[in-house]
Every structure is written in structure tokens, then in C-alpha cells.
Amino acid sequence: MKKKVISLMLTALMAGTALAGCGSDTASTSGSSAQTSSAASAAESGSEASGSASGESFTIGVCQQLEHAALDEATQGFQDACEEMFGADNVTINVQNGQNEQSNCATIANDFVAQDVDLILANGTTALQCAAAATNTIPILGTSITDYGTALDISDWTGTTGTNISGTSDLAPIDEQEDMLLELLPDVEKVGILYCSAEPNSEYQANLFAEALEEDGIDYAEFTAADSNEIQSVVTNAIAECDALYIPTDNTMASSTEIINNVCEPAGVPIIAGEQGICSGCGIATLSISYYDIGYKAGEMAYDILVNGADVTTMEIESAPNVTKMYNPELCEALGITVPDGYEAIEE
């Protein structure tokens, strides 16, 4: 909760003494794991936080949908930006993990509302949907969200939500991902598009990729799993019918890359992935964004809202500034795929 340290009596008694903001301890939510961020002070970051100058401190709740490399990076970027801009002494960041369970994310979001936090960061689509259901007054920033219109069921999407929600997107250009597939696999005949049916942002990407394949006259089929328990059988069906797969940014698939790879690699079926984490586990290549960067941008937006008074209802969704062609050296070698110039190897 925002604690304004404004006291005329203290000012008179302690003239010339700077007042530091304070933050209360936060409790772990049942079914999730909590951590309170700690980092260098504002002086070490080379900038003085406005929060210190104004005598204000802030509490921010972070609901991360699940533990995964990409989402972890986004959360870290957000924490770093907040601590650099607010000053580490002026912001308390309570990170809770939903373990990819909607009920956990809902509990976390409702607890943040009960604690009257100043802002919620929702890292992942389910986390965003649960935060949106929990409050329409506390500012919410999303990150690692592919399409906000789809995630929030906004049919006339214009780039802003018009509500208490804004944030950053992890959508890389889908048409360029499809170009990459054809560049690396020029003889492909049929592509399987694999995603979790419970993730609307994944379906959004799948539809865009299907449109790109249609324009190039490439046959395709969609294969969906309702949850991680169905992935092995769905992937087995997909490789029996297709000679390559595409997996968009999908949290359920991201948490099951070992299962996917154990089916696809022995069968010699390559995968183009929507993001680096999936590619590291089971893909040959991806058009990668920096999840750290989009998390950091969300942190800058949080500062704009809480300190500069920016109106979250009119803040446009921000995208990653750069994309990079990346490949998985181990899998490309195992599958006999030659990678042309212009690709960056994913380090182990």
C-alpha cells in the first residue's frame, strides 16, 4: 500500500534529514512461492529515485503464471527497472508464482487486492485474466502477453484497453517466423501447428501462422492439447501426419519441451518455435525477442503510472524493440539442418 511519509512535526524536528520510504513484509500465498526483491540502491544505479524525493514508497504485487525461463527473465527485467527508477528502498516487490494453475493465480491476485497494493504486474495470460477479474481500480500491467485484445476478450481492439490495464507484448512477427520455416525447411510438405487449447493467445498466433502458410500454399493441420497430460499423445499424432511442427509462445508447451523433444527428435521432425525457451528445449530455430527487455519496459511504465501520474487507461501496449534469428546448434546438427548466415546460436 502507498505510504506517504509526510509529517510536518517530523519535518520540524528532523530538518535536513532525508526521509526514506518504508515497505511492509508480504506473506506467501497458499499454492505459490514468494520472494521479495533485493538489488542495488538508487545511488548504485546512478539515478536518484523520485519516490525518495517525494517521501513515497510503493508496494507492487507480481503474479507470474509459472516458472519458465522466458517469464523469469520478464520478471527480473521488471524488478531491475523498478528498483533503479523508484530506488530499492522505495519499492517492495512481492513475487508470487501460480505454478500454471488458474486457481492459484486467482488467489494471488485477490490477495494483492486485499493488501491494497499500488500496482499489479501480471506475467502471463492467465495471470493477466485473473488480475483483471480481481480489480478494476488498481493499475495492472501485463507482460509476456501475446495479444491483449484476445486475452481480455476485447473485440474492437485499438491498441489501448480503456481500462486499468496496459503492459508489454511478446509477439514476434508471425509472417517472419513462417519465412524462417521455409528458409530452413524448403522441402516441407505439411506443417503441424501445436498449441494448448486453453491459451487464447496461442490460438491467436496459430491462426496467423496458418494464414501465412496458406498464402505460400503449404498444407497444415492444427493439433491442440487441453493440458500437459495430453501433450505426448497429441505430439505423437502430429508427427505421424506432418514433417515439421510450429509451436507459438505457449506456456503449457514451454513447460513440456522435454516431452515434446523425446517424441520429435527420434522421429526426425524439426520444430520452429515462437520463443527462445521453447527452442532451447525442442526447436531448431526461433525469431526471438528479449523477455528481459519487455519486463524492463513494464517497470518503466509502472514508474510512469505511480510517480508521474500517467493514465493507465490510455497507455498503449508496448512491443519488443528488436527480434533476433536464433537456432539450436545441438538439434540442428542432430537433424542434419544447415543454418545459413544471419542466425545466432542459442547458448546452453
Side-chain angles (χ1 to χ4, degrees):
M1 58 194 67
K2 186 182 297 181
K3 298 177 182 176
K4 296 188 176 179
V5 186
I6 302 175
S7 170
L8 295 176
M9 291 181 63
L10 284 177
T11 302
L13 292 171
M14 303 177 65
T17 303
L19 297 179
C22 61
S24 61
D25 293 336
T26 49
S28 174
T29 298
S30 176
S32 61
S33 61
Q35 63 182 26
T36 301
S37 64
S38 60
S41 67
E44 290 174 328
S45 70
S47 63
E48 182 177 355
S50 175
S52 176
S54 66
E56 291 181 314
S57 64
F58 302 92
T59 298
I60 297 175
V62 176
C63 179
Q64 181 173 318
Q65 184 168 326
L66 74 159
E67 294 176 5
H68 176 257
L71 303 190
D72 293 345
E73 282 290 302
T75 293
Q76 189 62 58
F78 180 81
Q79 290 177 293
D80 289 351
C82 286
E83 289 171 349
E84 288 170 17
M85 299 194 72
F86 290 97
D89 292 335
N90 301 297
V91 62
T92 298
I93 303 176
N94 179 14
V95 180
Q96 299 276 331
N97 194 297
Q99 304 299 333
N100 211 23
E101 292 289 340
Q102 183 176 7
S103 58
N104 288 346
C105 290
T107 298
I108 292 166
N110 287 323
D111 282 353
F112 287 156
V113 173
Q115 295 165 23
D116 194 24
V117 298
D118 296 294
L119 182 142
I120 296 172
L121 177 77
N123 189 355
T125 301
T126 300
L128 179 68
Q129 292 168 334
C130 290
T135 178
N136 60 5
T137 56
I138 296 174
I140 298 169
L141 291 174
T143 193
S144 312
I145 310 297
T146 303
D147 178 67
Y148 283 76
T150 301
L152 299 173
D153 196 24
I154 301 174
S155 58
D156 54 343
W157 179 247
T158 61
T160 61
T161 67
T163 69
N164 61 320
I165 299 171
S166 188
T168 58
S169 171
D170 64 357
L171 180 63
I174 299 294
D175 56 342
E176 293 183 30
Q177 294 180 29
E178 193 259 355
D179 290 342
M180 177 185 294
L181 183 146
L182 298 182
E183 179 179 41
L184 295 174
L185 307 169
D187 298 324
V188 66
E189 295 182 357
K190 187 172 184 178
V191 177
I193 302 175
L194 176 67
Y195 63 97
C196 176
S197 58
E199 298 193 31
N201 280 322
S202 300
E203 183 178 5
Y204 174 79
Q205 295 170 82
N207 291 338
L208 292 178
F209 199 86
E211 291 174 6
L213 290 171
E214 287 176 357
E215 290 178 3
D216 287 324
I218 305 297
D219 194 15
Y220 69 91
E222 294 188 2
F223 297 87
T224 62
D227 54 40
S228 58
N229 295 323
E230 296 181 2
I231 288 178
Q232 184 167 348
S233 61
V234 170
V235 174
T236 300
N237 292 336
I239 65 168
E241 188 176 333
C242 304
D243 51 351
L245 300 181
Y246 169 71
I247 302 176
T249 55
D250 183 294
N251 292 314
T252 302
M253 297 300 162
S255 65
S256 304
T257 55
E258 184 176 358
I259 295 172
I260 296 169
N261 190 61
N262 287 343
V263 176
C264 292
E265 184 179 352
V269 176
I271 297 170
I272 298 294
E275 54 94 3
Q276 184 177 336
I278 295 175
C279 189
S280 297
C282 63
I284 60 166
T286 184
L287 193 63
S288 180
I289 68 163
S290 168
Y291 277 81
Y292 181 90
D293 286 351
I294 62 172
Y296 194 97
K297 181 62 183 177
E300 293 178 330
M301 295 171 76
Y303 182 84
D304 233 10
I305 293 166
L306 296 179
V307 175
N308 295 334
D311 184 358
V312 66
T313 67
T314 61
M315 295 180 79
E316 292 193 0
I317 303 302
E318 300 279 353
S319 299
N322 301 300
V323 293
T324 304
K325 285 184 173 182
M326 305 191 78
Y327 74 102
N328 183 329
E330 183 179 348
L331 267 179
C332 285
E333 181 178 358
L335 298 177
I337 295 170
T338 301
V339 179
D341 294 338
Y343 284 74
E344 179 180 319
I346 297 174
E347 298 180 1
E348 294 183 3

